[in-house]
Amino acid sequence: SSSSVEPTNNESVASTAPTAAAVANHNANNNNLIGSQPSVIVPKQNRKRRNEGPSANYLHPQSNFIDNDTTSSSSMESSREIQAYYHLNEDDMILTDDVLMCPFIFRSQDAVLCGALSECVMPGMLRACFGPTNKLSNVEMIFDAMGFCQQLERASGNDSLAQIIPNSLEMALSPISDEARVITQSKAPFPIVSVNEAWTRVTGYTQVDVEGKDLSILNGRETKEKNSDIESVAKGQCSCSVNVHYDVNGRDFFSFVCSYPLTNLKNEVTHLLHVFQELPARE
């Protein structure tokens, strides 16, 4: 049997199942904040319930399912999941012609209760365009993607969870000790312009050794030529491959190479970043 709660704040609640009318009425009374998830009516602890007894039901605050009074707190904890939603404030919306703009806040919920070190909060700006018939044509959301990735790393307590890929020459040249990086120009024959110390430790080649040369200096008898891969990166596509390369002393080694395009402010590909990772020796 279902129970009902006394209406508060002009809410009309007939049963614990949130009908479309009840949800719409609840959202209408709380239109200052719009979320990506529909609001559900949740009885608070101080609300009286008319149908007391073991069969009385209520809506769990964080889940869209009916729970019984006899359900233990441990089972409720095990069913909790991390949720995320957007907050928009109607007072901050700006509408000009067919364009609507407003700030938003993206939040996680229950991340700490599920083991994270902190909740994640990301502010941003939304821009929505509408067509002649007032239909939504496109939505653009602008936010700090790199900052959000770093926030996810801190919340998880694992610095290696989210790898941040440089997309500009300045970022690719930033000091980093655990990645073997080599940067080439984006035009054939793709001459090398910079290598870091980690790449020198793997290959034995220094900056002076490779300036003006291309990555073919690492090729040898068992290396498979893959010119199409680097050409696709020069067109703006990322590429990953496994190949046999040779260091300055002729030692062969398996390497996993990820290549990324680096662009300027005009979104033009100016350089290519290649990250080498030496794989375990073959048996």
Side-chain angles (χ1 to χ4, degrees):
S1 62
S2 62
S3 65
S4 60
V5 296
E6 293 182 359
T8 60
N9 298 328
N10 297 327
E11 295 175 357
S12 177
V13 185
S15 67
T16 58
T19 62
V23 172
N25 186 28
H26 182 70
N27 288 339
N29 293 329
N30 297 275
N31 58 5
N32 288 331
L33 208 58
I34 303 175
S36 61
Q37 296 182 351
S39 302
V40 294
I41 300 173
V42 179
K44 297 181 179 179
Q45 297 294 333
N46 58 357
R47 293 185 180 176
K48 297 180 181 179
R49 288 157 53 185
R50 298 175 184 172
N51 189 13
E52 298 291 346
S55 61
N57 300 322
Y58 64 92
L59 279 178
H60 190 277
Q62 304 298 339
S63 305
N64 295 329
F65 62 85
I66 301 297
D67 197 3
N68 294 323
D69 283 348
T70 56
T71 303
S72 64
S73 60
S74 60
S75 63
M76 293 167 61
E77 291 291 337
S78 63
S79 63
R80 182 178 282 112
E81 296 180 351
I82 299 177
Q83 301 182 24
Y85 52 92
Y86 294 92
H87 279 310
L88 303 177
N89 195 322
E90 287 188 80
D91 294 336
D92 296 331
M93 293 184 179
I94 300 176
L95 181 61
T96 58
D97 296 330
D98 295 330
V99 178
L100 182 146
M101 298 182 65
C102 71
F104 70 84
I105 296 179
F106 179 80
R107 295 178 179 272
S108 65
Q109 181 175 304
D110 286 346
V112 174
L113 295 177
C114 293
L117 299 180
S118 63
E119 299 290 341
C120 293
V121 181
M122 179 192 69
M125 179 64 70
L126 180 145
R127 182 177 183 270
C129 297
F130 297 85
T133 58
N134 293 329
K135 289 186 177 181
L136 182 65
S137 59
N138 66 78
V139 175
E140 181 180 5
M141 304 181 74
I142 304 173
F143 59 93
D144 183 4
M146 181 173 295
F148 188 58
C149 289
Q150 294 173 341
Q151 192 176 163
L152 289 174
E153 288 184 351
R154 291 192 296 267
S156 66
N158 186 355
D159 294 338
S160 62
L161 175 65
Q163 182 183 11
I164 299 175
I165 306 300
N167 60 359
S168 66
L169 180 61
E170 292 76 12
M171 290 179 59
L173 289 173
S174 60
I176 188 169
S177 59
D178 59 345
E179 280 188 353
R181 293 182 175 181
V182 53
I183 300 174
T184 66
Q185 293 185 8
S186 61
K187 305 294 184 181
F190 311 104
I192 297 173
V193 297
S194 175
V195 301
N196 66 355
E197 293 182 3
W199 192 82
T200 298
R201 289 195 298 268
V202 173
T203 65
Y205 289 100
T206 65
Q207 176 75 31
V208 177
D209 296 333
V210 299
E211 281 186 359
K213 300 179 182 179
D214 56 50
L215 292 176
S216 63
I217 62 174
L218 301 177
N219 294 352
R221 182 171 55 87
E222 297 186 28
T223 303
K224 296 180 180 179
E225 296 288 346
K226 296 183 178 181
N227 293 330
S228 58
D229 290 346
I230 194 170
E231 291 174 357
S232 64
V233 178
K235 296 178 181 178
Q237 300 177 358
C238 300
S239 174
C240 295
S241 63
V242 176
N243 212 329
V244 179
H245 289 117
Y246 295 81
D247 65 11
V248 68
N249 298 317
R251 177 186 66 92
D252 64 320
F253 63 94
F254 264 118
S255 62
F256 177 65
V257 183
C258 295
S259 302
Y260 309 99
L262 303 176
T263 59
N264 57 17
L265 296 177
K266 297 180 181 180
N267 205 29
E268 299 170 338
V269 179
T270 59
H271 296 82
L272 308 179
L273 170 64
H274 312 274
V275 179
F276 281 69
Q277 180 181 355
E278 184 175 357
L279 301 178
R282 293 174 292 177
E283 296 294 337

